[in-house]
Amino acid sequence: MTQHELMYKVEQILDDVHTGVLATIDEQGNPQMRWMTPSLIKGRPNVLFAITSPHFRKVVQLNANARVQWMIQTRAVDEVVNLRGKINVLDNPAIRAEVMEQLGKQLAIFWRVNSEHTDFIVLETIIEEATYFRPMKGVKDTVSFA
């Protein structure tokens, strides 16, 4: 499987489910997982974007350790993609506008959880490696992006 083929799979899955699980490492070295709404943006290959509040704990965790893993899966869990990489925490107005244009309509839960604050920042995951699983078929492909 090529990088392009794998990223196309990610795009197809996200177009349907609109969610993924992000794993970070906390201050004590323990993994922390949470559901997020990630997206790909055309013209920005091999990068996954999401937004968060600058007031959430994950931002402190990411500033201390930018290594992350995402898990994105179909509703039937017959296709699962794990993406490993580094997150850049961005507070640039241009990238915020671009990501919000892509994700805005899918963020109802984010705004409900973040109702006291209207500010947000962008999490830019630079994908270094991805593994595509088809558990029922015993298929596993790992692609390096380095």
Side-chain angles (χ1 to χ4, degrees):
M1 178 173 278
T2 67
Q3 290 178 2
H4 179 74
E5 290 168 331
L6 192 130
M7 293 308 293
Y8 182 69
K9 289 285 186 189
V10 170
E11 181 179 20
Q12 287 180 309
I13 294 169
L14 286 176
D15 282 349
D16 180 43
V17 299
H18 307 293
T19 60
V21 177
L22 173 64
T24 60
I25 302 296
D26 69 15
E27 299 82 358
Q28 290 75 39
N30 297 313
Q32 299 293 319
M33 300 171 73
R34 78 276 290 147
W35 288 100
M36 302 271 303
T37 305
S39 183
L40 301 172
I41 295 180
K42 296 209 183 306
R44 295 183 181 265
N46 309 331
V47 178
L48 189 69
F49 293 93
I51 69 162
T52 193
S53 168
H55 309 286
F56 288 173
R57 287 186 39 102
K58 74 173 101 22
V59 176
V60 172
Q61 295 167 2
L62 292 168
N63 285 330
N65 185 348
R67 312 277 321 143
V68 299
Q69 186 161 349
W70 286 89
M71 183 175 66
I72 299 165
Q73 63 192 34
T74 59
R75 293 175 196 270
V77 195
D78 58 349
E79 294 179 279
V80 179
V81 180
N82 289 340
L83 305 167
R84 189 179 51 78
K86 269 181 96 171
I87 280 190
N88 295 314
V89 178
L90 307 175
D91 195 12
N92 172 296
I95 191 71
R96 285 179 14 172
E98 186 177 2
V99 172
M100 186 52 72
E101 183 177 325
Q102 179 73 23
L103 280 174
K105 61 188 172 284
Q106 300 160 2
L107 295 174
I109 292 172
F110 173 77
W111 295 120
R112 197 171 311 133
V113 171
N114 197 38
S115 62
E116 294 179 20
H117 305 284
T118 57
D119 54 340
F120 65 92
I121 54 176
V122 172
L123 303 179
E124 174 193 53
T125 305
I126 308 301
I127 300 167
E128 297 172 349
E129 183 179 86
T131 302
Y132 172 74
F133 298 101
R134 293 201 61 175
M136 301 306 286
K137 301 211 183 257
V139 171
K140 179 180 176 181
D141 276 317
T142 299
V143 176
S144 175
F145 288 76

